[in-house]
Amino acid sequence: MLVKRSTSTSGVQRGRMAAALAGAARGAALDRRAFLRNSGLAAGGLAAVGTLSFSTIRKAEAGPYTPGVPVEIKKNICTHCSVGCTVTAEVQNGVWVGQEPTYNSPINRGTHCAKGASVRELVHGDRRLKYPMKLEGGEWKRLSWEQAISEIGAKLTEIRDQSGPDSVFMLGSAKFSNEGAYLFRKFAALWGTNSVDHQARICHSTTVAGVANTWGYGAMTNSYNDIANSKAIMIIGGNPAEAHPVSLQHVLRGKELNRAQMIVVDPRFTRTAAHATEYVRLRPGTDIPLIWGMLYHIFENGWEDKEYIAQRVHGMDQVRAEVKKWTPEEVERVTGVPGEQVKRIAQVMATSKPATLIWCMGITQHTVGTANVRALSILQLATGNVGIEGGGTNIFRGHCNVQGATDLGLDVTSLPAYYGLAEGAWKHWSRVWELDYEWVLNRFGTASMDRDAKKKLMEDKGIPTTRWFDAVLADAKDVDQPDRMRGMVVFGHGGNTVTRMPEMRKGLEKLDLLVIADPHPTTFAAVSERKDGTYLLPICTQFETSGSRTASNRSLQWGEKVVDPIFESKNDYEVMYLLSKALGIEQEMFKNIQVNGDQPVPEDILREINRGTWSIGYTGQSPERLKQHMAHQADFDMVTLRGKPGTPVAGEFYGLPWPCFGTPEQKHPGTHVLYNTHLHVLEGGGTFRARFGVEKDGQTLLAEGSYSVGSEIQDGYPEFTYGVLKKLGWDVDLTEAERATIERIGGEKADTVSWATDLSGGIQRVAMKHGCVPYGNAKARAVAWNLPDPVPVHREPIYSSRPELVAQYPTLDDKRDFRVVNIGKTVQSNAVQEKINEKFPIILTSGRLVEYEGGGEETRSNKWLAELQQDMFIEVNTEDAARLGVKDGGMVWVYGPENGKARVKALVTNRVGKGVAFMPFHFSGFWEGESQRGNYPPGTDPIVLGDSVNAITTYGFDPVTAMQETKCTLCRIEAA
C-alpha cells in the first residue's frame, strides 16, 4: 500500500480521503476511525477487505435482515475484471441486503477479490448520477428523461443533416451485457457509421488482430481452470495478482499441483512476480527480441516440436531466418536480459509440456502490439503448445465483458461476430435484421452523395477511440469522411484511459454535443472547460438488469436482475430504445425484438444474436441453456468445466464457451480448448481455421496429416460451403427447409453460401455430422502476409530511451489509416533529433492496481475501496530518487515530452528498475495538480481524485489496430 494503515491512535493523517468525504479542499486530515465513522462502515468489516486473502472473504453485509421476510437469492456476474466471478445476492423487499461469493461457481469457487466483495456498494452508491442533467452556461441543471432524449435526438439529427452520420462518434462499453453491446453496434449501423468502439481498442485489439491472423479466432484458447493442467506457466506483460486476483488461484493451482515452473516477465517486480520461480526484468518495449531470443535457443538445441510444425504450421522457416539475428549478445544489448536467463526460460517452455503462455496489456499496448502478440503465438506454435489441455495462450482480458462486447461488433473494423465490413457482411446482417440492404446502405453518408460514395463509407473502417479527438480538431479536409467529428455519444467508458489527454481535452471542448450515459458522470464530464452541450444520462449497473456476459475464457453466463434500477436510472436497452425512437428508427431496430412498454426483452436480443453469429458460434447459447447452466453450477467439474454425468448439463462445458456451433436444439457442448484435435467436433474439438485460402506461394495452407477425432476427411480441408457439400455428396443430408434457405440466400450463386452465412445452420450441422469442423482444417500462420510485418520484427518505441537503436530498429513509416494520419515515424525522428531522451531520461510505464478498475470513476466512488488506496502515485527507483532528491511519500511533478504534467506522490521502491518509473492509470479528477472536484455535478464526485497518467503519455499507435502506446514513453521527475 502507498500509505501505512493504522488506527487513529497513531496520529497518522489521511490527506486526500478527508477532502473526499468532507467535500473540503485537498489537504485536510482524517484518521482511520473518522473515515469509518463518516462513511458509515463498521471497522471490522472494512478492515477485512484490506487484510484478508480473497479466499477467506465472507459477506459484504448490508445488515440487518428483516425477521420473517423471505430472502430471495439472485445470481449475477461481477462487473469488474474478465474472470467472470458469480455474485450471489440476498434480496429482501426489493433491497439487496447481503452478498456471498458463489461457492458453486466453477470460475470463482467461493472467492472474491476486494473489488468483487464490494460490488453491492455500486447499487447502493450515493455518489451515482441520480437523474438526467445538462450542462448549460457552465452549470449542471436537472432534466426529465423526456426532455433529455428529445434534445439529444434533435441535436443528433441536426449534426446528421449538416455533416452526415459519421460526424458522431459512438463509444460503447465493455461493461455492456452481450445484448447491450450488440444493440449498440446495431444502433450505430442503422444510424449510419462505423465509428463505433469500446475499451478493447485500448486493451486487447492487438490481441484480437494478432491471434486471429495466426490461427483463426481472436480469443483466449484455453481457460483459467485449465491452467491446473500446466507444467510450465509464463506470464509476460500481465499482473493477475492485482488485475485479475481470482485468476491467480488457478495459476497457483497449476504451479502447486504440477510443480510447474512459473516465469514472470515484466519491467516491474509485481505482486505476481513475487510468486514466480523465475522473474525476468526487461527494458519496456523489447518483448519481441526476448521471444526471438528464446526461439534462438529452441531452434539451436532442437527443442521445437518438429512434427507439429510440419503438420499444423505454415511459414516457420521464415521465422527461423529472423530469429537467427537475435543472438544472446544482441538480445541482452537490446532487452537487458542476460543470455543465460533467456536460454533457461526457453528450455522450460519448450520441454516442460504442456506449457501455457499468459499475457495482458503489457504486451498489447504498444506501437508493435499486434507484432508482439504474433511473436508470442509463434513461440507456442514452435513448441507445439496450442490446441492441448494445459497449453495455449491464456489471454487475460480486462473488463467484465470486453470479450463479449468485442465479439458482438463494438469495433470500427467489423459488424458483429467479426464478419468485417464488406458487402457480403452487410448483406448477411441485413438478412438477420430482415431489413432491405439498400435501405441500410442509404443510411450512410450525406444526402448529396451518390450510392457509390455511400457504399465506400459503409465498407470503410471508422475512427477509433484512440483518435476521435484528432478527427474533432482536424480540418474537415484532413478526415476521410464528409466532415470532421462534431458529436460523441458515450455509454460506459471512462475519459482518462486514452493517451494524449491534453489533446483529448481540446477535442472535448470543440464538440458540439457530448452525451454521457453511465452510472457515474466519468472523467468526460469533468476534465474539460466545456460550458454547454453536455448531457448526463443515469444508466443502472448490470446488477439492475439482466443479460449475458462472456468471460475471458469465452464462457457465457446469464446474470439475473438483482434489484430494480435505483434513483431515476434506466438500463442500456431502454435508453437505446428511447434514442432510436427519437431518431425514427425504432421499428427497424426492434423489428424482431419484443419491447414491453419501453423495455426491450434481453432474451429476445440474445435470440437475434443466435440467429446471426454463425462465424464464431454464438448460435448455440440460447437464454434457456445459459440459465440452466447458472442454475446447475454445482454440476460442473472445477477443472475440465464438463457437466457431470447424470445431470441436466451432462457433457456440456460450463457457459457453452464459443464456438458453440449449430442451433440451440443441436446441443453442441461448447469449446473449452480451441483447436484441440483430440476431441470430436461434436464434443468440443477443433482445428486451426481455414480463413486465409488453401495455398500460398505454391505451398498448401491446409493441415497435413492432422485432423480432429472422428473426422471423415483425414487431412486438411477448406471451409465448408454449399458447393463443398455437393462435391462431397453430403448435401443429401440437408433437410428440405435447410436447402431452401441456402438457395434463397445464394440465388444463382447458392454454391458460395458458406457455413458462416447459412441462416439455417444446415451446412454446420452436416459438416459436424461427418466429424468435420465447419470452418475447415488449416495450418496456423507463422507468416501473416497481410500485416505490415509478416514476420514480427523489433521496432523501437516512438520515444525510445535508446536513440542509438532507432536507426537499426525504426518504427514504420507515416501513413493514413482509420480516416486520419499516423505520423509515428515523424514523431520518432524528431525525438531523436531533439535528444528527447536526455531531457526526459526516465522510461514511464503504467498499469493496474488491485483496488481500482479501468478509469476508476466507479471504484474510486466506492468507500470500501477508496479507503484502501487514497493517492495517485509514481513508483521511482531508489537510485533515481536519491539522484533526483525525491523522498518516499513526497510530492513530485512528472513531466512528459509532449507538454503533459502531473503532481503525484512518490513511492520510492526497487520494484521498478533504475531508469524506469510506474504509474497506475485509474486516477482522474485533478489536472496539472489542480482539483477538478467542482466540475462534477454536486454529490457525484468520486471519493478519491488524482492526476491522470495519460496526461503524460504520448503519441504512438499500432498500425494494425490504432492501439495506443501506454507502456513505454519517457518522462522527467522533479520534487514538487
Side-chain angles (χ1 to χ4, degrees), residues 633-652:
Q633 286 182 311
D635 292 331
F636 291 90
D637 184 273
M638 292 287 187
V639 174
T640 67
L641 293 181
R642 277 276 197 183
K644 297 172 184 176
T647 68
V649 293
E652 297 181 357

Side-chain angles (χ1 to χ4, degrees), residues 127-142:
R127 306 189 92 82
R128 286 213 351 213
L129 187 62
K130 297 173 179 62
Y131 35 74
M133 302 192 81
K134 175 185 178 181
L135 188 64
E136 191 172 271
E139 299 293 327
W140 292 106
K141 296 184 178 181
R142 181 175 181 174

Side-chain angles (χ1 to χ4, degrees), residues 444-493:
F444 284 77
T446 61
S448 61
M449 293 171 67
D450 63 24
R451 184 184 183 279
D452 287 345
K454 290 184 176 186
K455 188 173 186 292
K456 184 178 184 302
L457 280 176
M458 186 188 201
E459 298 175 8
D460 187 20
K461 58 191 175 186
I463 296 170
T465 187
T466 50
R467 307 302 307 273
W468 68 264
F469 46 90
D470 289 321
V472 174
L473 297 172
D475 290 336
K477 62 181 175 59
D478 295 324
V479 186
D480 296 337
Q481 60 186 39
D483 201 351
R484 65 176 183 85
M485 199 69 75
R486 294 179 52 194
M488 181 160 69
V489 177
V490 184
F491 273 70
H493 201 300

Side-chain angles (χ1 to χ4, degrees), residues 45 68 163-164 200 245 450 464 605 679 853 901 924 967:
S163 301
D450 63 24
I605 304 171
L679 291 175
E853 170 73 13
K901 65 179 182 178
S924 65
K967 299 301 181 183

Side-chain angles (χ1 to χ4, degrees), residues 54-91:
F54 57 73
S55 61
T56 58
I57 292 173
R58 296 287 295 185
K59 290 181 181 177
E61 295 283 3
Y65 289 89
T66 305
V69 175
V71 176
E72 293 182 89
I73 301 299
K74 306 278 190 177
K75 288 199 291 188
N76 205 305
I77 311 304
C78 180
T79 54
H80 292 302
C81 82
S82 68
V83 173
C85 299
T86 305
V87 175
T88 295
E90 298 159 339
V91 180

Side-chain angles (χ1 to χ4, degrees), residues 353-386:
K353 292 178 72 171
T356 190
L357 186 52
I358 298 168
W359 72 79
C360 201
M361 293 188 290
I363 284 293
T364 63
Q365 289 182 332
H366 292 275
T367 57
V368 290
T370 300
N372 278 349
V373 167
R374 292 254 309 125
L376 296 179
S377 302
I378 291 166
L379 172 64
Q380 287 296 80
L381 289 173
T383 54
N385 273 307
V386 183

Side-chain angles (χ1 to χ4, degrees), residues 50 80 134 165 168 238 294 305 340 396 444 462 472 488 525 553 558 562 587 621 629 650 728 763 830 867 877 894:
H80 292 302
K134 175 185 178 181
V168 177
M294 292 174 66
D305 191 325
E340 279 304 308
F396 289 6
F444 284 77
V472 174
M488 181 160 69
N553 72 313
W558 186 270
V562 175
Q587 294 298 321
Q621 306 98 334
H629 278 220
L728 292 168
I763 295 175
N830 289 343
E867 195 273 341
N877 179 266
V894 186

